[in-house]
Amino acid sequence: MHTFLRAILSTFLLVFTTQLMAQTPLPNVRVTVIASGTVNWELQHMKHMHLDQENGFNLVINPVASLSAARIAITSGNADFIVSDWLWGSERNMKGANLGFLPFSRQIGSIIAAKGSTFSNFSDLKGKRVGIAGGPLNKGWVLLRAAAKKEGIDLEKEVQIQFAAPPLLNQAMRSGRLDLLATFWHYGARLEAEGYSKLYSLDDVMKGLGLGSEIPMLGYLYDQSLDPALVRGFYNATKQTKAQLAVDNDAWDRLRPLMKAENDDIYHGLIAGYRAGIPSDLSQEQIDDAVNFYKIIDDLKPYPSGTQLNPALFYREP
């Protein structure tokens, strides 16, 4: 009889605990994201497929108009995650922050040449009009400068530089006001779909600089005081999302309105670019290359600081 009562009590406690857990709200994870950017595509799919809840959190997407607004959100504590590059994360950490980095994409950017260009080496760029999206730390531009420096050419001094927002630079390229453009990959993909070509493969440029591991430059930055279980759950959700978007064409049909693709060629080019950038978990070789890349960038400064990148920035699976 006592055994029977214990069984009933155990069953009651199990049902009660299950119902209580179902009624307990999941913790929110706030991600501040540029409304028109590629990260929003990923997050919207994650939310649609309930991958956040499967991994123990409720995703809250906060759209903003610019990267600077997202960076303000993470530094002010109004976001749990944003997507930015680890260079900026490292600079913040050197000023007292404690940011971590989860890989988002291996895409670095595109170096697009004007139609009819006949560039064959870096010296051909002297005196040319070069547009740079996002400012002087555009990763494609940094790599291009570093590679040119190895050949004794200082592109900062020997080309006409124009910094501007990517859509404005794309239009400048179309109207013939630029000879070369260093821009974000998805804006480069739009131009490639219109018949423009990449002047340089950034993978080849990186290998020429001794960086052969395809370092993910963009990632989800977060304060490392965040609950490790939430960080792990969020990272797992991003990997599941990427795995689905890598093969599920129907998922992209749902996302197409967000992508603002002007035609089918651009639409398919954006999908291919996203898929090509899907990273794996960070390896030690990639982290070592990131440390070396940071030194390359520091050496390009008028007054190098000599500081080194702290590898603790990069998330490693427990």
Side-chain angles (χ1 to χ4, degrees), residues 278-290:
I278 293 175
S280 58
D281 293 333
L282 288 170
S283 67
Q284 188 59 50
E285 182 186 6
Q286 288 175 316
I287 294 175
D288 291 342
D289 273 354

Side-chain angles (χ1 to χ4, degrees), residues 6 12 19 64 66 83 94 122 126 130 135 166 185 188 191 220 231 269 278 298-299 307:
R6 281 198 298 270
F12 172 78
Q19 290 178 342
V64 292
S66 67
V83 165
M94 289 178 183
F122 290 110
K126 291 181 179 180
V130 177
W185 75 264
L191 290 173
Y220 289 98
V231 175
I278 293 175
D298 190 53
D299 289 342
T307 55

Side-chain angles (χ1 to χ4, degrees), residues 23-260:
Q23 294 172 2
T24 302
L26 294 172
N28 287 337
V29 168
R30 305 162 300 166
V31 185
T32 296
V33 58
I34 299 174
S36 60
T38 59
V39 185
N40 199 25
W41 310 344
E42 181 168 296
L43 296 178
Q44 293 295 340
H45 180 75
M46 181 191 296
K47 193 73 175 175
H48 178 80
M49 299 302 294
H50 306 294
L51 296 175
D52 55 341
Q53 296 179 24
E54 286 184 21
N55 284 280
F57 65 94
N58 176 55
L59 175 63
V60 178
I61 304 171
N62 296 320
V64 292
S66 67
L67 177 58
S68 59
R71 288 173 170 175
I72 290 171
I74 195 74
T75 54
S76 62
N78 291 322
D80 297 311
F81 290 90
I82 68 166
V83 165
S84 186
D85 58 84
W86 52 259
L87 289 171
W88 182 82
S90 177
E91 291 171 0
R92 292 297 309 173
N93 284 355
M94 289 178 183
K95 295 176 181 178
N98 186 30
L99 298 177
F101 176 94
L102 305 172
F104 167 69
S105 179
R106 292 186 294 106
Q107 291 283 11
I108 299 174
S110 300
I111 307 294
I112 304 294
K115 291 180 179 178
S117 298
T118 57
F119 301 123
S120 59
N121 53 55
F122 290 110
S123 62
D124 291 337
L125 297 177
K126 291 181 179 180
K128 301 301 182 182
R129 302 162 298 174
V130 177
I132 305 166
L137 285 182
N138 175 293
K139 307 312 168 296
W141 175 237
V142 170
L143 286 168
L144 201 60
R145 286 175 55 210
K149 185 179 180 181
K150 288 187 67 175
E151 297 184 11
I153 298 169
D154 187 342
L155 291 182
E156 273 199 313
K157 295 180 180 178
E158 301 189 57
V159 301
Q160 302 175 41
I161 303 171
Q162 178 182 342
F163 297 112
L168 296 177
L169 291 174
N170 273 24
Q171 189 55 43
M173 177 66 83
R174 295 183 185 105
S175 62
R177 291 180 282 118
L178 290 176
D179 302 301
L180 187 74
L181 173 58
T183 190
F184 305 140
W185 75 264
H186 47 298
Y187 286 95
R190 284 179 157 83
L191 290 173
E192 288 183 75
E194 297 172 22
Y196 293 85
S197 59
K198 288 183 182 178
L199 177 60
Y200 292 104
S201 162
L202 293 181
D203 288 341
D204 291 340
V205 173
M206 291 184 73
K207 290 174 183 175
L209 294 170
L211 310 172
S213 65
E214 296 186 320
I215 315 162
M217 296 300 301
L218 291 175
Y220 289 98
L221 293 175
Y222 63 97
D223 193 298
Q224 295 196 56
S225 64
L226 191 63
D227 182 352
L230 281 181
V231 175
R232 186 165 55 251
F234 180 76
Y235 188 35
N236 287 339
T238 66
K239 291 194 290 185
Q240 291 170 7
T241 302
K242 286 178 166 66
Q244 292 180 9
L245 291 176
V247 296
D248 187 350
N249 292 328
D250 291 339
W252 287 100
D253 289 340
R254 289 193 301 270
L255 295 172
R256 184 163 184 167
L258 289 175
M259 299 165 70
K260 301 187 185 305

